[in-house]
Amino acid sequence: MLEPMHYELRVIGIVESPLVDLAAAPAQGDEGELDAWIAMESQYLPAMRDLVVGERVIVLTWLDRGDRDVLEVHPRGDPTRPRLGVFSTRSPDRPNPIGLHEVEILAIDGPRLRVRNLEAISGTPVLDVKPVLGPVGTR
Amino acid sequence: MLEPMHYELRVIGIVESPLVDLAAAPAQGDEGELDAWIAMESQYLPAMRDLVVGERVIVLTWLDRGDRDVLEVHPRGDPTRPRLGVFSTRSPDRPNPIGLHEVEILAIDGPRLRVRNLEAISGTPVLDVKPVLGPVGTR
């Protein structure tokens, strides 16, 4: 039933972080303090213009080391735990390895965003930034 | 600094909904009751196997009618409201028009998921399903 559809992602920025080792990455950001820069491509400055320090946003990343052909995993990589379908986990191994990261903006320097506690290794491509929705109807 | 990177999305399913008109789409799902089916490709059944009725999940879609070259919009399409950078809005017009939809699973029928209140028009490609995270460390 599905027509062949080809959608290409645009990398809008890159994570710059002290975290370079996948094995050291915390499984969820709130388990380890880890601040990072997001270096956005300067062409996206108009899209960033209303971001403010102190705001919480959702950063979408492309977890480019994920295995896109894996459909079941041991949660958190622990082989003693029963395997789960990947749609019941946040594993980076999944058909489209898109990461969701709710973070606080700590600083803004031109096209660079400093954010608190981003659980993605340095070099991870960034796809989008969205507001955490507040009360309905506010934007 | 960015190397040219090309990441292609895999369409894993399609939204089937009575909502066929973009103009009738509620801007956020909790403003209008709108249940829909997600027809997944059967090859992804192993990834779905631990989803359960009553669970809340985050569905990621590709809002394929979004204009990828728009960087500023009037919020909610209202020309009387000042323009905002798209990263401060949930507009489908953005460089990577990925939609995030937190929904409740109402029914599961093989590769088909019935979900409550999905604000995406019929035919919208589905990219991923993720758990809404509970307490840290649970998966």
Side-chain angles (χ1 to χ4, degrees), chain A residues 2 6 8-10 14 31 41 49-50 68 83 85 94 96 98 130 136, chain B residues 2 6 8 10 14 31 41 49-50 68 83 85 96 98 127 129-130 136:
Chain A
L2 296 184
H6 300 286
E8 180 105 358
L9 293 165
R10 296 182 186 168
I14 290 290
E31 293 173 30
E41 289 281 300
R49 71 174 205 187
D50 295 298
R68 303 184 66 180
R83 287 149 68 96
R94 55 202 314 119
N96 292 298
I98 297 168
K130 294 182 189 295
V136 167
Chain B
L2 296 184
H6 300 286
E8 180 105 358
R10 297 183 187 168
I14 290 288
E31 293 173 27
E41 289 281 305
R49 70 174 204 189
D50 296 298
R68 303 183 68 179
R83 286 150 69 96
N96 292 297
I98 297 169
L127 302 178
V129 177
K130 294 182 190 295
V136 167

PDB file of all heavy atoms in Angstrom, chain A residues 2 6 8-10 14 31 41 49-50 68 83 85 94 96 98 130 136, chain B residues 2 6 8 10 14 31 41 49-50 68 83 85 96 98 127 129-130 136:
ATOM      1  N   LEU A   2       2.012   1.200   0.647  1.00  0.00           N
ATOM      2  CA  LEU A   2       2.829   2.409   0.731  1.00  0.00           C
ATOM      3  C   LEU A   2       3.530   2.661  -0.592  1.00  0.00           C
ATOM      4  O   LEU A   2       4.195   1.796  -1.121  1.00  0.00           O
ATOM      5  CB  LEU A   2       3.884   2.258   1.829  1.00  0.00           C
ATOM      6  CG  LEU A   2       3.377   2.111   3.250  1.00  0.00           C
ATOM      7  CD1 LEU A   2       4.543   2.062   4.212  1.00  0.00           C
ATOM      8  CD2 LEU A   2       2.428   3.226   3.615  1.00  0.00           C
ATOM      9  N   HIS A   6      10.700   9.001  -0.267  1.00  0.00           N
ATOM     10  CA  HIS A   6      12.074   9.240   0.156  1.00  0.00           C
ATOM     11  C   HIS A   6      12.157  10.615   0.769  1.00  0.00           C
ATOM     12  O   HIS A   6      11.940  11.615   0.102  1.00  0.00           O
ATOM     13  CB  HIS A   6      13.023   9.108  -1.036  1.00  0.00           C
ATOM     14  CG  HIS A   6      12.957   7.748  -1.640  1.00  0.00           C
ATOM     15  ND1 HIS A   6      13.515   6.641  -1.034  1.00  0.00           N
ATOM     16  CD2 HIS A   6      12.360   7.303  -2.761  1.00  0.00           C
ATOM     17  CE1 HIS A   6      13.279   5.578  -1.780  1.00  0.00           C
ATOM     18  NE2 HIS A   6      12.575   5.938  -2.826  1.00  0.00           N
ATOM     19  N   GLU A   8      14.596  13.076   2.969  1.00  0.00           N
ATOM     20  CA  GLU A   8      15.982  13.313   3.356  1.00  0.00           C
ATOM     21  C   GLU A   8      16.010  14.335   4.479  1.00  0.00           C
ATOM     22  O   GLU A   8      15.378  15.384   4.395  1.00  0.00           O
ATOM     23  CB  GLU A   8      16.734  13.849   2.137  1.00  0.00           C
ATOM     24  CG  GLU A   8      18.173  14.141   2.379  1.00  0.00           C
ATOM     25  CD  GLU A   8      19.071  13.083   1.749  1.00  0.00           C
ATOM     26  OE1 GLU A   8      18.559  12.112   1.165  1.00  0.00           O
ATOM     27  OE2 GLU A   8      20.283  13.256   1.851  1.00  0.00           O
ATOM     28  N   LEU A   9      16.747  14.001   5.536  1.00  0.00           N
ATOM     29  CA  LEU A   9      16.875  14.935   6.648  1.00  0.00           C
ATOM     30  C   LEU A   9      17.911  16.009   6.339  1.00  0.00           C
ATOM     31  O   LEU A   9      18.884  15.761   5.622  1.00  0.00           O
ATOM     32  CB  LEU A   9      17.290  14.171   7.908  1.00  0.00           C
ATOM     33  CG  LEU A   9      16.223  13.218   8.431  1.00  0.00           C
ATOM     34  CD1 LEU A   9      16.838  12.239   9.426  1.00  0.00           C
ATOM     35  CD2 LEU A   9      15.082  13.988   9.072  1.00  0.00           C
ATOM     36  N   ARG A  10      17.691  17.194   6.911  1.00  0.00           N
ATOM     37  CA  ARG A  10      18.698  18.248   6.854  1.00  0.00           C
ATOM     38  C   ARG A  10      19.362  18.345   8.220  1.00  0.00           C
ATOM     39  O   ARG A  10      18.673  18.512   9.221  1.00  0.00           O
ATOM     40  CB  ARG A  10      18.047  19.593   6.519  1.00  0.00           C
ATOM     41  CG  ARG A  10      17.413  19.616   5.149  1.00  0.00           C
ATOM     42  CD  ARG A  10      16.829  20.986   4.827  1.00  0.00           C
ATOM     43  NE  ARG A  10      16.104  20.899   3.561  1.00  0.00           N
ATOM     44  CZ  ARG A  10      15.288  21.821   3.077  1.00  0.00           C
ATOM     45  NH1 ARG A  10      15.115  22.952   3.767  1.00  0.00           N
ATOM     46  NH2 ARG A  10      14.665  21.672   1.922  1.00  0.00           N
ATOM     47  N   ILE A  14      25.158  20.570  15.119  1.00  0.00           N
ATOM     48  CA  ILE A  14      25.960  19.454  15.622  1.00  0.00           C
ATOM     49  C   ILE A  14      26.142  19.630  17.138  1.00  0.00           C
ATOM     50  O   ILE A  14      26.361  20.741  17.611  1.00  0.00           O
ATOM     51  CB  ILE A  14      27.347  19.454  14.930  1.00  0.00           C
ATOM     52  CG1 ILE A  14      27.220  19.058  13.461  1.00  0.00           C
ATOM     53  CG2 ILE A  14      28.339  18.530  15.633  1.00  0.00           C
ATOM     54  CD1 ILE A  14      26.868  17.606  13.204  1.00  0.00           C
ATOM     55  N   GLU A  31      20.199  11.271  34.443  1.00  0.00           N
ATOM     56  CA  GLU A  31      21.000  10.429  35.331  1.00  0.00           C
ATOM     57  C   GLU A  31      22.424  10.943  35.466  1.00  0.00           C
ATOM     58  O   GLU A  31      23.166  10.464  36.305  1.00  0.00           O
ATOM     59  CB  GLU A  31      21.033   8.993  34.806  1.00  0.00           C
ATOM     60  CG  GLU A  31      19.657   8.345  34.895  1.00  0.00           C
ATOM     61  CD  GLU A  31      19.612   6.979  34.236  1.00  0.00           C
ATOM     62  OE1 GLU A  31      20.661   6.293  34.219  1.00  0.00           O
ATOM     63  OE2 GLU A  31      18.547   6.616  33.740  1.00  0.00           O
ATOM     64  N   GLU A  41      23.933  25.621  12.248  1.00  0.00           N
ATOM     65  CA  GLU A  41      24.320  26.283  11.009  1.00  0.00           C
ATOM     66  C   GLU A  41      23.751  27.702  11.031  1.00  0.00           C
ATOM     67  O   GLU A  41      22.577  27.907  11.367  1.00  0.00           O
ATOM     68  CB  GLU A  41      23.732  25.527   9.817  1.00  0.00           C
ATOM     69  CG  GLU A  41      24.395  24.193   9.562  1.00  0.00           C
ATOM     70  CD  GLU A  41      25.713  24.385   8.833  1.00  0.00           C
ATOM     71  OE1 GLU A  41      25.722  24.939   7.714  1.00  0.00           O
ATOM     72  OE2 GLU A  41      26.744  23.988   9.404  1.00  0.00           O
ATOM     73  N   ARG A  49      15.532  32.818  16.610  1.00  0.00           N
ATOM     74  CA  ARG A  49      15.582  34.179  17.155  1.00  0.00           C
ATOM     75  C   ARG A  49      14.748  34.380  18.400  1.00  0.00           C
ATOM     76  O   ARG A  49      14.992  35.321  19.154  1.00  0.00           O
ATOM     77  CB  ARG A  49      15.176  35.185  16.079  1.00  0.00           C
ATOM     78  CG  ARG A  49      13.699  35.108  15.762  1.00  0.00           C
ATOM     79  CD  ARG A  49      13.264  36.203  14.809  1.00  0.00           C
ATOM     80  NE  ARG A  49      11.840  36.448  15.004  1.00  0.00           N
ATOM     81  CZ  ARG A  49      11.124  37.251  14.244  1.00  0.00           C
ATOM     82  NH1 ARG A  49      11.677  37.883  13.222  1.00  0.00           N
ATOM     83  NH2 ARG A  49       9.851  37.432  14.495  1.00  0.00           N
ATOM     84  N   ASP A  50      13.736  33.544  18.628  1.00  0.00           N
ATOM     85  CA  ASP A  50      12.879  33.722  19.806  1.00  0.00           C
ATOM     86  C   ASP A  50      13.193  32.743  20.927  1.00  0.00           C
ATOM     87  O   ASP A  50      12.456  32.684  21.923  1.00  0.00           O
ATOM     88  CB  ASP A  50      11.410  33.643  19.390  1.00  0.00           C
ATOM     89  CG  ASP A  50      11.048  34.796  18.462  1.00  0.00           C
ATOM     90  OD1 ASP A  50      11.149  35.946  18.912  1.00  0.00           O
ATOM     91  OD2 ASP A  50      10.715  34.546  17.289  1.00  0.00           O
ATOM     92  N   ARG A  68      19.882   0.498  12.429  1.00  0.00           N
ATOM     93  CA  ARG A  68      18.514   0.711  11.944  1.00  0.00           C
ATOM     94  C   ARG A  68      17.776  -0.575  11.630  1.00  0.00           C
ATOM     95  O   ARG A  68      16.579  -0.546  11.336  1.00  0.00           O
ATOM     96  CB  ARG A  68      18.549   1.631  10.718  1.00  0.00           C
ATOM     97  CG  ARG A  68      19.231   2.942  11.030  1.00  0.00           C
ATOM     98  CD  ARG A  68      19.195   3.909   9.881  1.00  0.00           C
ATOM     99  NE  ARG A  68      17.839   4.346   9.596  1.00  0.00           N
ATOM    100  CZ  ARG A  68      17.522   5.201   8.636  1.00  0.00           C
ATOM    101  NH1 ARG A  68      18.484   5.692   7.859  1.00  0.00           N
ATOM    102  NH2 ARG A  68      16.264   5.552   8.434  1.00  0.00           N
ATOM    103  N   ARG A  83      14.322  -9.208  26.317  1.00  0.00           N
ATOM    104  CA  ARG A  83      14.282  -8.343  25.158  1.00  0.00           C
ATOM    105  C   ARG A  83      12.904  -7.686  25.024  1.00  0.00           C
ATOM    106  O   ARG A  83      11.880  -8.291  25.329  1.00  0.00           O
ATOM    107  CB  ARG A  83      14.590  -9.152  23.898  1.00  0.00           C
ATOM    108  CG  ARG A  83      16.050  -9.525  23.795  1.00  0.00           C
ATOM    109  CD  ARG A  83      16.243 -10.830  23.074  1.00  0.00           C
ATOM    110  NE  ARG A  83      15.899 -10.745  21.662  1.00  0.00           N
ATOM    111  CZ  ARG A  83      16.792 -10.531  20.689  1.00  0.00           C
ATOM    112  NH1 ARG A  83      18.071 -10.379  20.983  1.00  0.00           N
ATOM    113  NH2 ARG A  83      16.418 -10.497  19.444  1.00  0.00           N
ATOM    114  N   GLY A  85      10.527  -5.123  22.245  1.00  0.00           N
ATOM    115  CA  GLY A  85      10.409  -4.438  20.965  1.00  0.00           C
ATOM    116  C   GLY A  85      10.909  -3.005  21.106  1.00  0.00           C
ATOM    117  O   GLY A  85      10.663  -2.347  22.115  1.00  0.00           O
ATOM    118  N   ARG A  94      16.913   1.466  16.164  1.00  0.00           N
ATOM    119  CA  ARG A  94      15.516   1.499  15.735  1.00  0.00           C
ATOM    120  C   ARG A  94      15.497   1.963  14.282  1.00  0.00           C
ATOM    121  O   ARG A  94      16.487   2.502  13.789  1.00  0.00           O
ATOM    122  CB  ARG A  94      14.694   2.420  16.638  1.00  0.00           C
ATOM    123  CG  ARG A  94      15.244   3.823  16.730  1.00  0.00           C
ATOM    124  CD  ARG A  94      14.803   4.587  17.986  1.00  0.00           C
ATOM    125  NE  ARG A  94      13.404   4.482  18.264  1.00  0.00           N
ATOM    126  CZ  ARG A  94      12.894   3.954  19.394  1.00  0.00           C
ATOM    127  NH1 ARG A  94      13.681   3.560  20.359  1.00  0.00           N
ATOM    128  NH2 ARG A  94      11.597   3.860  19.550  1.00  0.00           N
ATOM    129  N   ASN A  96      14.268   4.470  12.605  1.00  0.00           N
ATOM    130  CA  ASN A  96      14.661   5.878  12.431  1.00  0.00           C
ATOM    131  C   ASN A  96      15.210   6.366  13.771  1.00  0.00           C
ATOM    132  O   ASN A  96      14.438   6.699  14.673  1.00  0.00           O
ATOM    133  CB  ASN A  96      13.461   6.727  12.006  1.00  0.00           C
ATOM    134  CG  ASN A  96      12.984   6.391  10.607  1.00  0.00           C
ATOM    135  OD1 ASN A  96      13.713   6.538   9.629  1.00  0.00           O
ATOM    136  ND2 ASN A  96      11.758   5.888  10.509  1.00  0.00           N
ATOM    137  N   ILE A  98      15.875   8.658  15.809  1.00  0.00           N
ATOM    138  CA  ILE A  98      15.683  10.051  16.195  1.00  0.00           C
ATOM    139  C   ILE A  98      15.687  10.115  17.719  1.00  0.00           C
ATOM    140  O   ILE A  98      14.930   9.404  18.372  1.00  0.00           O
ATOM    141  CB  ILE A  98      14.358  10.597  15.636  1.00  0.00           C
ATOM    142  CG1 ILE A  98      14.384  10.576  14.100  1.00  0.00           C
ATOM    143  CG2 ILE A  98      14.096  12.020  16.148  1.00  0.00           C
ATOM    144  CD1 ILE A  98      13.030  10.833  13.456  1.00  0.00           C
ATOM    145  N   LYS A 130      12.212  22.311  19.392  1.00  0.00           N
ATOM    146  CA  LYS A 130      10.779  22.612  19.540  1.00  0.00           C
ATOM    147  C   LYS A 130      10.531  23.094  20.953  1.00  0.00           C
ATOM    148  O   LYS A 130      11.188  22.631  21.890  1.00  0.00           O
ATOM    149  CB  LYS A 130       9.937  21.347  19.355  1.00  0.00           C
ATOM    150  CG  LYS A 130       9.956  20.738  17.971  1.00  0.00           C
ATOM    151  CD  LYS A 130       9.022  19.523  17.954  1.00  0.00           C
ATOM    152  CE  LYS A 130       9.139  18.706  16.685  1.00  0.00           C
ATOM    153  NZ  LYS A 130       8.707  19.437  15.485  1.00  0.00           N
ATOM    154  N   VAL A 136      -2.480  24.847  26.354  1.00  0.00           N
ATOM    155  CA  VAL A 136      -2.959  24.840  24.979  1.00  0.00           C
ATOM    156  C   VAL A 136      -3.305  26.259  24.516  1.00  0.00           C
ATOM    157  O   VAL A 136      -3.860  27.044  25.274  1.00  0.00           O
ATOM    158  CB  VAL A 136      -4.198  23.934  24.868  1.00  0.00           C
ATOM    159  CG1 VAL A 136      -4.922  24.137  23.545  1.00  0.00           C
ATOM    160  CG2 VAL A 136      -3.775  22.491  25.027  1.00  0.00           C
TER     161      VAL A 136
ATOM    162  N   LEU B   2      30.537  21.328   8.835  1.00  0.00           N
ATOM    163  CA  LEU B   2      29.723  20.119   8.680  1.00  0.00           C
ATOM    164  C   LEU B   2      30.105  19.386   7.404  1.00  0.00           C
ATOM    165  O   LEU B   2      30.148  19.970   6.331  1.00  0.00           O
ATOM    166  CB  LEU B   2      28.236  20.476   8.602  1.00  0.00           C
ATOM    167  CG  LEU B   2      27.632  21.124   9.842  1.00  0.00           C
ATOM    168  CD1 LEU B   2      26.143  21.326   9.650  1.00  0.00           C
ATOM    169  CD2 LEU B   2      27.891  20.286  11.066  1.00  0.00           C
ATOM    170  N   HIS B   6      23.922  12.644   4.564  1.00  0.00           N
ATOM    171  CA  HIS B   6      22.623  12.375   3.967  1.00  0.00           C
ATOM    172  C   HIS B   6      21.980  11.248   4.733  1.00  0.00           C
ATOM    173  O   HIS B   6      22.467  10.123   4.733  1.00  0.00           O
ATOM    174  CB  HIS B   6      22.770  12.025   2.488  1.00  0.00           C
ATOM    175  CG  HIS B   6      23.408  13.131   1.717  1.00  0.00           C
ATOM    176  ND1 HIS B   6      22.732  14.297   1.412  1.00  0.00           N
ATOM    177  CD2 HIS B   6      24.663  13.283   1.241  1.00  0.00           C
ATOM    178  CE1 HIS B   6      23.551  15.112   0.766  1.00  0.00           C
ATOM    179  NE2 HIS B   6      24.727  14.531   0.649  1.00  0.00           N
ATOM    180  N   GLU B   8      18.425   9.260   5.243  1.00  0.00           N
ATOM    181  CA  GLU B   8      17.135   8.990   4.613  1.00  0.00           C
ATOM    182  C   GLU B   8      16.208   8.360   5.644  1.00  0.00           C
ATOM    183  O   GLU B   8      16.587   7.417   6.346  1.00  0.00           O
ATOM    184  CB  GLU B   8      17.370   8.008   3.456  1.00  0.00           C
ATOM    185  CG  GLU B   8      16.127   7.637   2.709  1.00  0.00           C
ATOM    186  CD  GLU B   8      16.061   8.331   1.356  1.00  0.00           C
ATOM    187  OE1 GLU B   8      16.967   9.128   1.036  1.00  0.00           O
ATOM    188  OE2 GLU B   8      15.103   8.065   0.633  1.00  0.00           O
ATOM    189  N   ARG B  10      12.994   6.168   6.944  1.00  0.00           N
ATOM    190  CA  ARG B  10      12.176   5.023   6.549  1.00  0.00           C
ATOM    191  C   ARG B  10      10.748   5.268   7.019  1.00  0.00           C
ATOM    192  O   ARG B  10      10.532   5.513   8.212  1.00  0.00           O
ATOM    193  CB  ARG B  10      12.701   3.736   7.183  1.00  0.00           C
ATOM    194  CG  ARG B  10      14.100   3.379   6.716  1.00  0.00           C
ATOM    195  CD  ARG B  10      14.565   2.052   7.303  1.00  0.00           C
ATOM    196  NE  ARG B  10      15.966   1.839   6.952  1.00  0.00           N
ATOM    197  CZ  ARG B  10      16.758   0.916   7.466  1.00  0.00           C
ATOM    198  NH1 ARG B  10      16.272   0.084   8.389  1.00  0.00           N
ATOM    199  NH2 ARG B  10      18.017   0.808   7.082  1.00  0.00           N
ATOM    200  N   ILE B  14       1.578   4.520   8.275  1.00  0.00           N
ATOM    201  CA  ILE B  14       0.798   5.628   7.717  1.00  0.00           C
ATOM    202  C   ILE B  14      -0.392   5.898   8.639  1.00  0.00           C
ATOM    203  O   ILE B  14      -1.005   4.958   9.147  1.00  0.00           O
ATOM    204  CB  ILE B  14       0.287   5.249   6.298  1.00  0.00           C
ATOM    205  CG1 ILE B  14       1.447   5.188   5.310  1.00  0.00           C
ATOM    206  CG2 ILE B  14      -0.792   6.209   5.799  1.00  0.00           C
ATOM    207  CD1 ILE B  14       2.043   6.528   4.935  1.00  0.00           C
ATOM    208  N   GLU B  31      -7.015  19.761  21.675  1.00  0.00           N
ATOM    209  CA  GLU B  31      -8.097  20.717  21.464  1.00  0.00           C
ATOM    210  C   GLU B  31      -9.269  20.088  20.731  1.00  0.00           C
ATOM    211  O   GLU B  31     -10.328  20.697  20.627  1.00  0.00           O
ATOM    212  CB  GLU B  31      -7.591  21.918  20.667  1.00  0.00           C
ATOM    213  CG  GLU B  31      -6.583  22.725  21.471  1.00  0.00           C
ATOM    214  CD  GLU B  31      -5.930  23.831  20.655  1.00  0.00           C
ATOM    215  OE1 GLU B  31      -6.550  24.316  19.700  1.00  0.00           O
ATOM    216  OE2 GLU B  31      -4.796  24.178  20.983  1.00  0.00           O
ATOM    217  N   GLU B  41       3.789  -0.969   8.737  1.00  0.00           N
ATOM    218  CA  GLU B  41       4.290  -2.012   7.848  1.00  0.00           C
ATOM    219  C   GLU B  41       4.502  -3.285   8.679  1.00  0.00           C
ATOM    220  O   GLU B  41       5.101  -3.221   9.764  1.00  0.00           O
ATOM    221  CB  GLU B  41       5.627  -1.585   7.235  1.00  0.00           C
ATOM    222  CG  GLU B  41       5.515  -0.483   6.220  1.00  0.00           C
ATOM    223  CD  GLU B  41       5.051  -1.034   4.888  1.00  0.00           C
ATOM    224  OE1 GLU B  41       5.682  -1.959   4.340  1.00  0.00           O
ATOM    225  OE2 GLU B  41       4.024  -0.535   4.406  1.00  0.00           O
ATOM    226  N   ARG B  49       5.936  -5.416  19.579  1.00  0.00           N
ATOM    227  CA  ARG B  49       5.342  -6.537  20.296  1.00  0.00           C
ATOM    228  C   ARG B  49       5.063  -6.247  21.762  1.00  0.00           C
ATOM    229  O   ARG B  49       4.247  -6.946  22.375  1.00  0.00           O
ATOM    230  CB  ARG B  49       6.244  -7.773  20.184  1.00  0.00           C
ATOM    231  CG  ARG B  49       7.523  -7.627  20.972  1.00  0.00           C
ATOM    232  CD  ARG B  49       8.341  -8.896  20.977  1.00  0.00           C
ATOM    233  NE  ARG B  49       9.201  -8.904  22.139  1.00  0.00           N
ATOM    234  CZ  ARG B  49      10.158  -9.783  22.365  1.00  0.00           C
ATOM    235  NH1 ARG B  49      10.393 -10.749  21.489  1.00  0.00           N
ATOM    236  NH2 ARG B  49      10.862  -9.725  23.467  1.00  0.00           N
ATOM    237  N   ASP B  50       5.723  -5.275  22.365  1.00  0.00           N
ATOM    238  CA  ASP B  50       5.510  -4.978  23.785  1.00  0.00           C
ATOM    239  C   ASP B  50       4.638  -3.743  24.019  1.00  0.00           C
ATOM    240  O   ASP B  50       4.496  -3.299  25.166  1.00  0.00           O
ATOM    241  CB  ASP B  50       6.860  -4.849  24.499  1.00  0.00           C
ATOM    242  CG  ASP B  50       7.604  -6.179  24.470  1.00  0.00           C
ATOM    243  OD1 ASP B  50       7.078  -7.145  25.034  1.00  0.00           O
ATOM    244  OD2 ASP B  50       8.676  -6.248  23.845  1.00  0.00           O
ATOM    245  N   ARG B  68       9.709  23.347   4.075  1.00  0.00           N
ATOM    246  CA  ARG B  68      10.988  23.172   4.747  1.00  0.00           C
ATOM    247  C   ARG B  68      11.889  24.402   4.659  1.00  0.00           C
ATOM    248  O   ARG B  68      12.950  24.430   5.291  1.00  0.00           O
ATOM    249  CB  ARG B  68      11.701  21.935   4.193  1.00  0.00           C
ATOM    250  CG  ARG B  68      10.831  20.687   4.333  1.00  0.00           C
ATOM    251  CD  ARG B  68      11.534  19.446   3.875  1.00  0.00           C
ATOM    252  NE  ARG B  68      12.641  19.117   4.761  1.00  0.00           N
ATOM    253  CZ  ARG B  68      13.421  18.058   4.596  1.00  0.00           C
ATOM    254  NH1 ARG B  68      13.196  17.238   3.572  1.00  0.00           N
ATOM    255  NH2 ARG B  68      14.411  17.821   5.432  1.00  0.00           N
ATOM    256  N   ARG B  83       5.342  37.370  14.169  1.00  0.00           N
ATOM    257  CA  ARG B  83       6.063  36.207  13.689  1.00  0.00           C
ATOM    258  C   ARG B  83       7.054  35.718  14.735  1.00  0.00           C
ATOM    259  O   ARG B  83       7.647  36.498  15.480  1.00  0.00           O
ATOM    260  CB  ARG B  83       6.809  36.567  12.403  1.00  0.00           C
ATOM    261  CG  ARG B  83       5.895  36.703  11.215  1.00  0.00           C
ATOM    262  CD  ARG B  83       6.419  37.702  10.213  1.00  0.00           C
ATOM    263  NE  ARG B  83       7.606  37.222   9.544  1.00  0.00           N
ATOM    264  CZ  ARG B  83       7.599  36.623   8.350  1.00  0.00           C
ATOM    265  NH1 ARG B  83       6.460  36.418   7.702  1.00  0.00           N
ATOM    266  NH2 ARG B  83       8.711  36.221   7.795  1.00  0.00           N
ATOM    267  N   GLY B  85      10.364  32.756  15.301  1.00  0.00           N
ATOM    268  CA  GLY B  85      11.238  31.745  14.732  1.00  0.00           C
ATOM    269  C   GLY B  85      10.600  30.372  14.911  1.00  0.00           C
ATOM    270  O   GLY B  85      10.017  30.079  15.956  1.00  0.00           O
ATOM    271  N   ASN B  96      13.112  20.332   9.247  1.00  0.00           N
ATOM    272  CA  ASN B  96      12.776  18.904   9.284  1.00  0.00           C
ATOM    273  C   ASN B  96      11.403  18.775   9.943  1.00  0.00           C
ATOM    274  O   ASN B  96      11.299  18.835  11.170  1.00  0.00           O
ATOM    275  CB  ASN B  96      13.825  18.120  10.081  1.00  0.00           C
ATOM    276  CG  ASN B  96      15.168  18.078   9.381  1.00  0.00           C
ATOM    277  OD1 ASN B  96      15.303  17.532   8.287  1.00  0.00           O
ATOM    278  ND2 ASN B  96      16.180  18.685   9.994  1.00  0.00           N
ATOM    279  N   ILE B  98       9.240  17.137  11.518  1.00  0.00           N
ATOM    280  CA  ILE B  98       8.937  15.960  12.328  1.00  0.00           C
ATOM    281  C   ILE B  98       7.877  16.366  13.353  1.00  0.00           C
ATOM    282  O   ILE B  98       8.058  17.324  14.092  1.00  0.00           O
ATOM    283  CB  ILE B  98      10.206  15.447  13.035  1.00  0.00           C
ATOM    284  CG1 ILE B  98      11.244  15.003  11.992  1.00  0.00           C
ATOM    285  CG2 ILE B  98       9.870  14.288  13.985  1.00  0.00           C
ATOM    286  CD1 ILE B  98      12.625  14.735  12.574  1.00  0.00           C
ATOM    287  N   LEU B 127       7.125   7.695  11.574  1.00  0.00           N
ATOM    288  CA  LEU B 127       8.566   7.434  11.622  1.00  0.00           C
ATOM    289  C   LEU B 127       8.991   6.581  12.810  1.00  0.00           C
ATOM    290  O   LEU B 127       9.996   5.865  12.737  1.00  0.00           O
ATOM    291  CB  LEU B 127       9.336   8.757  11.712  1.00  0.00           C
ATOM    292  CG  LEU B 127       9.107   9.766  10.590  1.00  0.00           C
ATOM    293  CD1 LEU B 127       9.902  11.029  10.882  1.00  0.00           C
ATOM    294  CD2 LEU B 127       9.488   9.170   9.235  1.00  0.00           C
ATOM    295  N   VAL B 129       7.761   5.150  17.141  1.00  0.00           N
ATOM    296  CA  VAL B 129       6.914   5.115  18.336  1.00  0.00           C
ATOM    297  C   VAL B 129       7.866   4.937  19.512  1.00  0.00           C
ATOM    298  O   VAL B 129       8.753   4.079  19.467  1.00  0.00           O
ATOM    299  CB  VAL B 129       5.905   3.950  18.282  1.00  0.00           C
ATOM    300  CG1 VAL B 129       5.086   3.882  19.567  1.00  0.00           C
ATOM    301  CG2 VAL B 129       4.996   4.076  17.067  1.00  0.00           C
ATOM    302  N   LYS B 130       7.698   5.773  20.549  1.00  0.00           N
ATOM    303  CA  LYS B 130       8.585   5.725  21.711  1.00  0.00           C
ATOM    304  C   LYS B 130       7.736   5.724  22.972  1.00  0.00           C
ATOM    305  O   LYS B 130       6.681   6.350  23.003  1.00  0.00           O
ATOM    306  CB  LYS B 130       9.476   6.970  21.777  1.00  0.00           C
ATOM    307  CG  LYS B 130      10.487   7.116  20.668  1.00  0.00           C
ATOM    308  CD  LYS B 130      11.318   8.377  20.932  1.00  0.00           C
ATOM    309  CE  LYS B 130      12.193   8.752  19.752  1.00  0.00           C
ATOM    310  NZ  LYS B 130      13.227   7.756  19.465  1.00  0.00           N
ATOM    311  N   VAL B 136      13.107   7.336  35.997  1.00  0.00           N
ATOM    312  CA  VAL B 136      14.404   6.987  35.407  1.00  0.00           C
ATOM    313  C   VAL B 136      14.787   5.559  35.768  1.00  0.00           C
ATOM    314  O   VAL B 136      14.581   5.103  36.890  1.00  0.00           O
ATOM    315  CB  VAL B 136      15.475   7.969  35.921  1.00  0.00           C
ATOM    316  CG1 VAL B 136      16.870   7.470  35.612  1.00  0.00           C
ATOM    317  CG2 VAL B 136      15.248   9.324  35.299  1.00  0.00           C
TER     318      VAL B 136
END
